[in-house]
Amino acid sequence: MSASGAALPRRSLGGGGTGVVPQLLLALVCGGYATGAVLGWGGAELALTMGDFGLSGAAGLAAASCLWYGRTRSTRFRPAWLLFAASSAMAGFGNFVWGWYEVVLGRQVPSPCPADFCFLLFAPPAIIGLLVLARRPVTRAGWVCLGLDSWLIGGSLLTLSWSLALAHTAHFSGETVAHAALSLAYPLLDIVLVSMVLALHFKRSSANRSAINTAIAALALTVLCDALFTSPLLRANYRSGQILDAGWFAGYMLMAYAPWVAREEGEEAPVRRGRTAVQHAGRPIAGSLAALTPYLAAAVCTLGILYNVLDGHHVDRVVLFTGCTVVLALVIRQGIMLLDNISLTQELAQKENHFRSLVQGSSDVIMIAAPTGILRYVSPAATGVYGRDAEELIGSELASLIHPEDLGRVVHEVRRFLAAPPAEEPTTRIECRFRSGTGDWLNVESTVNRHHGGLIFNSRDVTERVRLQAQLQHTAEHDPLTDLPNRALFTKRVQQALAGRRVTDAGTAVLFIDLDGFKAVNDSVGHQAGDELLVQAARRLQDSVRAGDSTARFGGDEFAALIIGDGTRDAAAREYRILEIADRLRLTLSQPYLVEGGTEVRVAASIGVAFAEPGITHGDLMRNADLAMYRAKQAGKGRVELYAPQMQADVVRRAELATRLRTALHEGEFALLHQPVVELATGRITAVCAQARWRSAQGILFTPDEFLRVAEMERGDESVRTAELGRWTLERAAEQAAQRRRAGYTVPVHVRMPAARLLDKSLPPKSVEALILRHGLPSGSLVLELSGGDPRIPLDELERRLVSLRRFGVRVALDGFGSGYAAMAALRRLPIDVLKLDRELVDGVTDSARLHKITAGLLRIACDLGMQSVADGVDEPEQARVLRAMGCTHGQGAAFAGALDEHRMRHALDRSPYVLPSGPLTLPGDPADGGNEVLVGGALPVRSGAAGGAGALAHAPLRSNNETPVPPT
């Protein structure tokens, strides 16, 4: 900070010229003309030509240049250049007339002649043009001072010129009045022009300064040559083509070059602003000369008069009158300046008091630092903001008050700011920590401006704002319940770990964690207890990882952990270490939790692990861990699964199957078949069970079990497809049941439906009842087989829904009885009409004594409760006989028939009942009845008869559910 002022750059303030080549060309032309004039041009004829027509051409060029610039450029100085064009045209025309007499006519130029009037008209347009270029005064006193300054300069020059030469010219005897007036007009107009040049030199506009300076220099050079020409000594010996003409020629050429010195005003504006922002070292001198010019002119006038008096010369009345007016103008000007200074002093005092009040009353601290970094001024607000007196801070070094960690950044920013162009960056903003009077560090924001090589700091305390921003940032990146990082921050840390991973970081892994059974805690104990459980789980998770690792909560009961590798190069050792950490986390998170009221609850943890392989992205890494976690849940929950590429392949396969399911639903590729439900005591078909089948492009029907399993395992849209298929099955089954009743077949239809779908809030209310009414089904025509083993289903709501359906004539069957679902609770709470034995029990009833006893017990429960029982998957005649002996009332399976289309189903209903002998189950027409045997579904012998008889069921083999192949994927 002590060297901050040294970085302030110095910029050149030279005019924005058009280049060195035009200037060099101008110098060569003027130098060539001067050389020719000195050498006499090699002859009198050429000297006259160059002295007259050469000057006329140069003046004409100046007129054309100024006229062209004034006509083609839209600037506020356009009138000045047009006036300069008129002035140069007058000079060119005068020289042309002069040359006409001397060169063309070959005689002496008369006096007066038309050329004299042209030369006299040279000055007025130039004077007016200078007034246009001047910076206009903003007050009436300024206009008066401008006029007085012009007269002071002009009167002084007139006094001096009259004393030296003009008085002698005015008293020539024998000359006409016109000749005498003409002799005086030249010097008087030159004096006026010189006065304007000097008066306006320090009052010109700051715009296009290079062009204006060049124009003033051209007029000054022309006036100087006019003054030399006016002197009797030079005029008596003047001949065209002499060295004096070189001065006029240079003046005209400068005027021709002047408009093109700088670019247009619009292009120069940024450069001019940048230049005026930096104080030039010569500007104070120029300002002093501008202020002293009138007084110097008055001094010249006074010295001229004193010289004449002391030398004994008679003081001319013109000199005396002019001198008196000059003195009077000086006195008046001095009085105006005195009054103006008094007014400015009062205004300055008022503004100073105003700004002092603003600075001292401001809540911001204003500090002025010298280029060395020493504080020169500190406003009184420092006491309230920093807790330190302003007098204590004045004289101290700014660097000693800034936090050491922020000092380097502050110094760098200050040096960069001082090196930048002021027009492009007038201010900058710096935020750092500042030492307070109590020794604490305050967050201070400062707006920095330049000030005489130093800096002005306008500072304010933003500590509360910084704390609030940090709090908001923390809130945006952390979970509000557990204060763990959320998904966004965790993703950022995983990305950083992968981007900055070195060779020693091998073994970095991401763990996705899901708490199994958390929803049951919310439902049983309450959401407040669930929140306490999540907080405790987050604390256990955070305590179980190392300091360099990261943990996060994604929402709900999902957590994650980022384990940074320890550099182990052995892949097996890395895998063992990560799996050991994951298993320790699983055990830790599976320990009992004490929640509100001292209640002890338990949850399990399913954890998926994915390693950061070379070249993997953070998105792929987190996706792999997610897949591994869901594989752990599918494999039984409460376990750790390591990601394998096959998991992604399974996801792709399931996605393809789900797409095929979606296409089949939208394009009507599903068909509805029915499987008979047979009464084991009589062999009659007492009901039919609706089953959906997918029709392939080759016309083959396949079971949708694989598709349904895929849909149930996936999250999101696939479960919607399963629900859509269930709705289609129910509507189609009701429609076909109504058609059968109209054809005389009154058997009820069984439709399998998950229990959760009955409670789905997205379904229209009373949708099942509306379906029954629409198709006109009587009571008992529809049997809903409840499937699904989700213990989270609220039995109270399900009971109310089933009671409502039973009142409407819908019967209820409990599907999968004897499997993992809580059957006892369902039997105790739900209004069940039919128990449907699970296929796994039926498969082993003839082979396993244990399953035989379990099945017999379940059937006794159904009999005691007065319920019908249906055995699903009766594929062998022996199973039908054993189940009938155990008390099972109905059977369904390949031992009777597979799933049939509507035509075959009606044929089966026409041929019912089946014959149930004591031996192997047969149909009418078995060998004992003299018929031929064929296998239906590969299990049950049936009779083949004449067309239209029972043999119509055997026209084509019928596949069972188990035998139906799944199309290749």
Side-chain angles (χ1 to χ4, degrees):
M1 287 297 296
S2 60
S4 60
L8 182 62
R10 300 289 183 184
R11 299 188 64 194
S12 173
L13 297 179
T18 56
V20 179
V21 175
Q23 297 175 2
L24 181 61
L25 182 61
L26 178 66
L28 290 176
V29 171
C30 293
Y33 190 95
T35 303
V38 171
L39 299 179
W41 298 103
E45 187 71 22
L46 182 59
L48 291 176
T49 303
M50 295 302 297
D52 294 335
F53 291 112
L55 291 182
S56 178
L61 179 63
S65 175
C66 294
L67 180 63
W68 179 264
Y69 187 86
R71 293 292 300 273
T72 58
R73 298 296 190 274
S74 297
T75 66
R76 64 188 180 93
F77 299 126
R78 178 181 178 184
W81 296 113
L82 294 177
L83 289 169
F84 289 152
S87 176
S88 301
M90 290 295 101
F93 188 70
N95 281 289
F96 181 80
V97 173
W98 197 284
W100 182 265
Y101 279 102
E102 286 190 336
V103 177
V104 177
L105 300 180
R107 60 190 180 90
Q108 188 70 23
V109 179
S111 181
C113 71
D116 293 323
F117 296 102
C118 293
F119 290 140
L120 289 177
L121 291 176
F122 165 79
I127 294 172
I128 300 175
L130 288 174
L131 288 174
V132 174
L133 293 178
R135 184 172 63 247
R136 298 181 180 181
V138 295
T139 63
R140 187 174 302 174
W143 283 105
V144 174
C145 288
L146 177 61
L148 292 175
D149 291 344
S150 301
W151 173 244
L152 285 172
I153 298 173
S156 300
L157 294 177
L158 178 60
T159 301
L160 185 60
S161 302
W162 192 272
S163 300
L164 297 178
L166 295 182
H168 177 72
T169 303
H171 291 87
F172 279 154
S173 59
E175 292 189 0
T176 64
V177 177
H179 185 274
L182 185 62
S183 301
L184 291 175
Y186 276 118
L188 291 178
L189 287 175
D190 287 340
I191 288 173
V192 174
L193 189 56
V194 170
S195 301
M196 293 302 302
V197 168
L198 293 177
L200 298 177
H201 174 68
F202 301 107
K203 296 181 182 295
R204 63 191 182 278
S205 176
S206 60
N208 266 3
R209 179 169 297 172
S210 300
I212 296 174
N213 286 339
T214 306
I216 291 176
L219 293 176
L221 185 57
T222 304
V223 169
L224 177 62
C225 294
D226 287 345
L228 294 175
F229 175 76
T230 306
S231 65
L233 180 62
L234 288 179
R235 186 169 184 177
N237 299 320
Y238 172 76
R239 297 290 183 275
S240 296
Q242 293 181 347
I243 188 61
L244 188 60
D245 290 348
W248 279 314
F249 182 85
Y252 299 148
M253 294 302 294
L254 282 175
M255 183 59 73
Y257 174 66
W260 312 98
V261 171
R263 294 186 293 252
E264 291 190 46
E265 182 180 2
E267 301 174 5
E268 284 293 304
V271 179
R272 288 197 306 273
R273 287 194 296 267
R275 288 167 182 160
T276 54
V278 182
Q279 297 294 329
H280 191 271
R283 181 65 59 80
I285 299 176
S288 301
L289 290 177
L292 292 177
T293 299
Y295 302 99
L296 293 176
V300 170
C301 178
T302 304
L303 290 176
I305 296 175
L306 290 177
Y307 173 75
N308 287 328
V309 172
L310 295 176
D311 199 28
H313 293 91
H314 175 70
V315 178
D316 194 280
R317 285 178 296 180
V318 175
V319 174
L320 184 60
F321 176 78
T322 305
C324 290
T325 56
V326 167
V327 173
L328 180 61
L330 183 61
V331 173
I332 295 174
R333 187 186 189 281
Q334 190 64 27
I336 294 175
M337 294 300 297
L338 181 60
L339 294 176
D340 194 29
N341 287 337
I342 293 174
S343 176
L344 289 176
T345 302
Q346 293 176 351
E347 184 179 357
L348 181 62
Q350 292 177 357
K351 291 184 177 180
E352 184 178 356
N353 292 333
H354 175 69
F355 285 108
R356 181 181 292 109
S357 300
L358 288 177
V359 170
Q360 293 181 353
S362 174
S363 59
D364 293 348
V365 180
I366 299 176
M367 302 183 296
I368 300 178
T372 58
I374 302 299
L375 294 176
R376 291 178 177 174
Y377 172 80
V378 179
S379 67
T383 304
V385 176
Y386 298 148
R388 307 178 68 172
D389 293 336
E391 292 77 7
E392 178 187 350
L393 292 175
I394 295 176
S396 61
E397 190 172 354
L398 186 60
S400 63
L401 305 175
I402 299 176
H403 196 283
E405 296 179 1
D406 301 338
L407 182 59
R409 176 174 52 84
V410 172
V411 172
H412 174 76
E413 175 62 21
V414 167
R415 289 178 177 174
R416 185 203 62 78
F417 168 66
L418 292 174
E424 298 178 4
E425 192 172 3
T427 63
T428 188
R429 182 168 295 180
I430 296 176
E431 188 170 327
C432 63
R433 285 168 289 180
F434 201 88
R435 187 188 301 275
S436 67
T438 59
D440 299 329
W441 294 102
L442 303 176
N443 293 95
V444 176
E445 182 185 68
S446 301
T447 301
V448 185
N449 295 271
R450 299 173 178 85
H451 176 70
H452 297 300
L455 296 171
I456 297 179
F457 292 85
N458 191 351
S459 306
R460 62 198 63 85
D461 183 10
V462 294
T463 304
E464 292 300 324
R465 189 195 72 186
V466 171
R467 290 175 180 172
L468 179 59
Q469 288 177 344
Q471 182 179 355
L472 292 176
Q473 182 72 16
H474 182 86
T475 303
E477 294 182 340
H478 288 76
D479 175 59
L481 177 63
T482 63
D483 203 39
L484 289 180
N486 58 15
R487 181 185 293 270
L489 181 57
F490 185 80
T491 302
K492 185 186 302 182
R493 289 182 177 178
V494 172
Q495 189 173 6
Q496 292 173 351
L498 297 181
R501 193 170 73 245
R502 304 177 301 275
V503 178
T504 57
D505 293 331
T508 297
V510 169
L511 280 64
F512 270 37
I513 306 164
D514 186 85
L515 300 182
D516 304 319
F518 173 73
K519 189 176 186 304
V521 174
N522 273 343
D523 295 338
S524 59
V525 188
H527 289 274
Q528 180 65 30
D531 290 344
E532 292 184 15
L533 186 150
L534 291 176
V535 172
Q536 295 181 33
R539 190 179 303 115
R540 293 182 185 182
L541 178 62
Q542 207 165 13
D543 294 340
S544 300
V545 299
R546 301 168 305 178
D549 300 332
S550 299
T551 57
R553 181 190 176 213
F554 286 175
D557 57 351
E558 292 188 354
F559 295 85
L562 172 65
I563 309 299
I564 303 299
D566 58 357
T568 304
R569 297 184 178 275
D570 187 1
R574 292 198 305 266
E575 180 176 330
Y576 177 79
R577 182 180 69 88
I578 295 297
L579 291 179
E580 184 182 17
I581 294 175
D583 195 61
R584 185 172 69 249
L585 287 176
R586 182 186 63 81
L587 294 175
T588 301
L589 295 175
S590 301
Q591 295 298 318
Y593 295 85
L594 283 178
V595 294
E596 184 180 10
T599 305
E600 181 179 292
V601 294
R602 290 177 178 269
V603 293
S606 297
I607 302 178
V609 181
F611 281 98
E613 303 296 337
I616 195 172
T617 64
H618 68 281
D620 291 341
L621 178 59
M622 296 176 66
R623 181 206 61 197
N624 294 345
D626 195 20
L627 291 175
M629 186 265 290
Y630 273 92
R631 177 59 61 88
K633 294 179 71 68
Q634 294 167 10
K637 303 180 180 180
R639 55 186 294 147
V640 177
E641 284 287 341
L642 182 63
Y643 171 79
Q646 182 60 34
M647 295 181 185
Q648 179 63 22
D650 292 343
V651 170
V652 173
R653 182 180 62 84
R654 288 197 298 268
E656 292 176 352
L657 292 176
T659 302
R660 295 175 64 182
L661 172 62
R662 186 182 304 113
T663 303
L665 283 171
H666 288 172
E667 297 183 1
E669 296 181 2
F670 275 92
L672 189 66
L673 304 182
H674 294 84
Q675 189 174 30
V677 177
V678 178
E679 187 178 20
L680 297 182
T682 63
R684 291 184 305 107
I685 300 177
T686 60
V688 294
C689 184
Q691 296 179 0
R693 293 291 186 270
W694 175 62
R695 190 185 304 276
S696 68
Q698 293 77 22
I700 303 176
L701 295 177
F702 298 100
T703 63
D705 291 347
E706 177 67 16
F707 296 98
L708 296 179
R709 283 195 298 270
V710 169
E712 290 168 358
M713 286 188 295
E714 291 295 318
R715 296 161 291 168
D717 189 57
E718 286 73 11
S719 61
V720 177
R721 303 303 166 189
T722 308
E724 186 177 349
L725 178 60
R727 287 193 295 270
W728 178 87
T729 302
L730 179 60
E731 292 177 0
R732 186 65 177 157
E735 179 184 358
Q736 292 188 6
Q739 294 173 357
R740 281 194 298 272
R741 292 193 67 83
R742 288 193 292 270
Y745 302 100
T746 60
V747 292
V749 60
H750 289 228
V751 180
R752 188 172 183 268
M753 176 177 288
R757 192 162 301 147
L758 281 175
L759 304 179
D760 190 354
K761 303 299 183 183
S762 63
L763 292 177
K766 305 293 184 180
S767 57
V768 178
E769 292 87 338
L771 183 67
I772 294 174
L773 290 176
R774 185 166 68 248
H775 294 288
L777 296 178
S779 177
S781 298
L782 178 63
V783 180
L784 293 182
E785 296 182 355
L786 297 183
S787 63
D790 192 350
R792 297 175 295 181
I793 296 176
L795 292 180
D796 293 338
E797 294 184 24
L798 183 59
E799 181 182 6
R800 288 193 293 270
R801 179 67 177 133
L802 293 178
V803 169
S804 175
L805 288 174
R806 288 191 69 189
R807 289 173 182 170
F808 211 77
V810 178
R811 301 179 67 200
V812 181
L814 185 61
D815 189 25
F817 189 69
S819 59
Y821 185 62
M824 294 301 107
L827 287 176
R828 180 172 60 88
R829 299 284 302 276
L830 301 180
I832 303 299
D833 300 302
V834 179
L835 289 180
K836 195 168 186 179
L837 294 179
D838 187 73
R839 176 182 293 272
E840 294 182 358
L841 293 177
V842 176
D843 286 342
V845 73
T846 59
D847 301 327
S848 172
R850 178 183 292 272
L851 289 179
H852 188 280
K853 292 180 180 180
I854 293 174
T855 305
L858 295 176
L859 290 173
R860 282 195 299 272
I861 293 175
C863 181
D864 294 341
L865 294 177
M867 300 178 183
Q868 294 182 354
S869 55
V870 178
D872 187 17
V874 181
D875 296 334
E876 302 292 339
E878 183 66 21
Q879 294 172 345
R881 187 180 62 177
V882 172
L883 289 169
R884 182 179 60 185
M886 295 168 64
C888 183
T889 60
H890 295 77
Q892 168 188 344
F896 309 107
L900 307 175
D901 58 21
E902 186 64 20
H903 177 72
R904 295 183 178 182
M905 187 73 252
R906 293 188 180 187
H907 274 285
L909 290 172
D910 290 336
R911 295 303 177 185
S912 178
Y914 292 100
V915 177
L916 300 172
S918 59
L921 193 61
T922 61
L923 291 173
D926 58 2
D929 200 22
N932 299 323
E933 293 184 355
V934 294
L935 289 179
V936 179
L940 185 65
V942 295
R943 177 186 299 172
S944 64
L953 298 176
H955 288 172
L958 299 178
R959 297 180 179 270
S960 70
N961 281 346
N962 292 337
E963 294 169 338
T964 304
V966 176
T969 60

